[in-house]
Amino acid sequence: RIADDYIVRAIKDEITDTFPIISEEAFAIGQSPEIGNGPFWLVDPLDGTKEFIKRNGEFTVNIALIDGGIPVFGVVHAPAIKNTYWGSPVGAFTEGEDGTAQPISCRPPPEDGLVALVSRSHRSPEIDTFLADFTVKEETSAGSSLKFCLVAAGRADIYPRLGRTMEWDTAAGEAVVRFAGGHVSTVDGVQMTYGKPGFENPHFVVWGSGF
């Protein structure tokens, strides 16, 4: 809650107070401003609560700007492992502990098989059924929105999520993937959209380049 208040105040004071802000903590207690048809912010001050509790470092702070139902800017910050990822129309980037920003991009599907990401805390039999349609040479696990960032950085190729998520869980990561050359869709191949009633996502797939 403290982090949520800090981020919301910083957006209003240092960026703009024009656009409404939908944050997970405020939404949880019934505070949800009308977003209308214009741009709005989505904020998740702690994505990957189970990873935070396990103290494995794989939790993130997610901040995204939505315009026209799609993320046009997003930042994923992983404070414990000192990594930050962001995506905008100027490209997708990562910054590590040394403070140097490096451009990142999704990779085309490798000829010898895909690297598939699965949730560290939310694996299900439906994931195995979905991945059976692909040639997968390796599966790897990660927590929180870092899975989006691994696809954006060309370290994995596909990430299916067939469970419940909210828009603030995914918007920032989708922006990073989108501006790194990948995309996010429903399992039926439809573009993900944001600003839905209740802010709940359908099942979705994160794709690298070339899909």
Side-chain angles (χ1 to χ4, degrees):
R1 289 193 296 268
I2 293 171
D4 190 286
D5 290 342
Y6 180 90
I7 293 165
V8 169
R9 284 201 312 271
I11 290 173
K12 290 180 177 179
D13 294 344
E14 300 179 27
I15 303 176
T16 177
D17 63 358
T18 302
F19 307 144
I21 302 172
I22 303 296
S23 69
E24 179 179 15
E25 300 305 320
F27 187 84
I29 59 174
Q31 297 177 0
S32 177
E34 292 293 327
I35 59 173
N37 296 318
F40 68 96
W41 296 94
L42 281 169
V43 172
D44 187 349
L46 177 57
D47 183 37
T49 307
K50 291 183 179 180
E51 316 312 325
F52 181 81
I53 293 170
K54 294 174 185 175
R55 304 180 70 86
N56 65 15
E58 293 185 352
F59 64 92
T60 58
V61 180
N62 301 333
I63 303 171
L65 179 64
I66 309 300
D67 191 12
I70 61 173
V72 295
F73 171 74
V75 178
V76 175
H77 178 54
I81 58 177
K82 297 181 172 61
N83 274 345
T84 306
Y85 298 84
W86 68 94
S88 76
V90 300
F93 301 86
T94 184
E95 181 179 306
E97 191 170 0
D98 65 358
T100 302
Q102 301 288 340
I104 56 175
S105 61
C106 299
R107 67 183 184 185
E111 293 182 0
D112 61 341
L114 306 179
V115 174
L117 277 162
V118 295
S119 175
R120 190 179 300 283
S121 300
H122 302 280
R123 180 67 180 261
S124 67
E126 291 79 9
I127 295 293
D128 296 326
T129 301
F130 179 86
L131 290 176
D133 290 334
F134 300 88
T135 301
V136 176
K137 68 177 178 181
E138 180 184 347
E139 291 187 11
T140 186
S141 298
S144 70
S145 57
L146 285 173
K147 293 182 286 295
F148 288 81
C149 300
L150 294 176
V151 174
R155 295 168 56 187
D157 306 294
I158 186 172
Y159 161 45
R161 179 59 190 267
L162 309 182
R164 186 174 187 262
T165 61
M166 305 299 288
E167 292 185 6
W168 46 75
D169 296 320
T170 61
E174 178 167 350
V176 178
V177 169
R178 179 169 172 244
F179 291 109
H183 70 283
V184 181
S185 72
T186 70
V187 292
D188 298 323
V190 178
Q191 169 71 47
M192 286 268 282
T193 59
Y194 291 82
K196 301 180 294 296
F199 300 98
E200 186 169 350
N201 288 323
H203 296 174
F204 65 84
V205 185
V206 180
W207 308 89
S209 175
F211 287 94

